[in-house]
Amino acid sequence: IDFAKGIGIISEGVQNAGSVAKESGMQFEDFAASVAKVAEKTRQDGSVIGNAYKSILARTSRSKSADEDVSDEDRSNAAKALSKIGIHVYDSETGEYQDFSKTLDQLAERWDKLTDAQRANIGEAMAGTRQINTLNAIVSTWKDAKELAGEATDDTDFYESVQDKYMDSMTAKLNTLRASMQDFWNSILN
């Protein structure tokens, strides 16, 4: 995917589901990187990925924005399906939903070890039949997305330090040039 199209896809995904992702406890960088990785794998538009995320988050997180489309039974089925493989969507101390990123971390860890039947059961419970393929892409690319998000954060710090060094060296060169020019004009005028 070229840069401009990639930015457009991420923007659409964030526009469609960014607030729901934030309510569910996802960091912006993780969500944006996940949208990018899913788009890379599936060639889906950002709006399609965003809508899938909304469906998934409504069933498995504390998001209030997406609640109207999902029944309590759907939420219960998703929690039960995940519980069967040792993933609890509720924080054991507070009883509230845990951050969805944590749920995805745990699911991505186990995903390749699950049987096809387990993945299908979890997929249908978390995403419904219409969004199951996108859920599969989200989970299978989650580790790469987290790595990409980490690189983006690290790169920002790296590029800021490079920019600072560049500005320092440019400032030093300008000061040296200014001093040389003053010496030159002083020697001509004297």
Side-chain angles (χ1 to χ4, degrees):
I1 298 174
D2 69 24
F3 180 77
K5 184 170 179 149
I7 294 298
I9 289 169
I10 293 168
S11 295
E12 287 176 359
V14 170
Q15 185 175 15
N16 277 318
S19 63
V20 177
K22 183 178 179 181
E23 286 176 3
S24 76
M26 292 184 79
Q27 296 295 315
F28 172 79
E29 295 83 1
D30 292 342
F31 178 66
S34 179
V35 170
K37 284 297 184 181
V38 171
E40 182 179 64
K41 182 173 182 143
T42 65
R43 302 294 185 216
Q44 291 176 326
D45 288 337
S47 60
V48 172
I49 298 166
N51 286 332
Y53 253 111
K54 280 197 294 192
S55 294
I56 295 161
L57 292 169
R59 293 168 184 246
T60 55
S61 77
R62 65 177 170 255
S63 170
K64 301 292 183 223
S65 299
D67 277 354
E68 57 204 40
D69 297 335
V70 176
S71 69
D72 289 338
E73 182 181 356
D74 287 338
R75 268 187 220 87
S76 178
N77 289 340
K80 286 177 188 173
L82 290 166
S83 179
K84 286 180 182 176
I85 62 164
I87 298 173
H88 303 285
V89 296
Y90 299 103
D91 185 293
S92 59
E93 293 178 19
T94 65
E96 298 290 322
Y97 281 103
Q98 70 179 357
D99 288 349
F100 187 68
S101 292
K102 187 174 179 183
T103 300
L104 271 178
D105 288 341
Q106 295 168 343
L107 186 56
E109 251 178 57
R110 294 168 173 80
W111 195 248
D112 291 334
K113 298 171 191 133
L114 300 176
T115 65
D116 289 342
Q118 287 173 310
R119 282 195 295 265
N121 181 42
I122 291 166
E124 188 168 337
M126 285 181 71
T129 55
R130 289 185 19 233
Q131 305 294 356
I132 196 167
N133 290 332
T134 305
L135 173 70
N136 288 334
I138 290 168
V139 175
S140 66
T141 61
W142 181 245
K143 289 177 187 173
D144 292 337
K146 293 281 282 191
E147 188 175 303
L148 181 62
E151 287 173 9
T153 304
D154 292 345
D155 283 351
T156 300
D157 295 340
F158 170 75
Y159 288 120
E160 285 177 0
S161 71
V162 168
Q163 179 68 17
D164 289 344
K165 288 178 186 175
Y166 173 76
M167 291 306 291
D168 287 343
S169 71
M170 194 59 139
T171 301
K173 288 179 181 178
L174 286 173
N175 286 337
T176 303
L177 178 61
R178 184 176 296 123
S180 295
M181 291 300 291
Q182 283 178 338
D183 287 344
F184 172 74
W185 286 111
N186 285 338
S187 68
I188 290 178
L189 295 173
N190 290 335

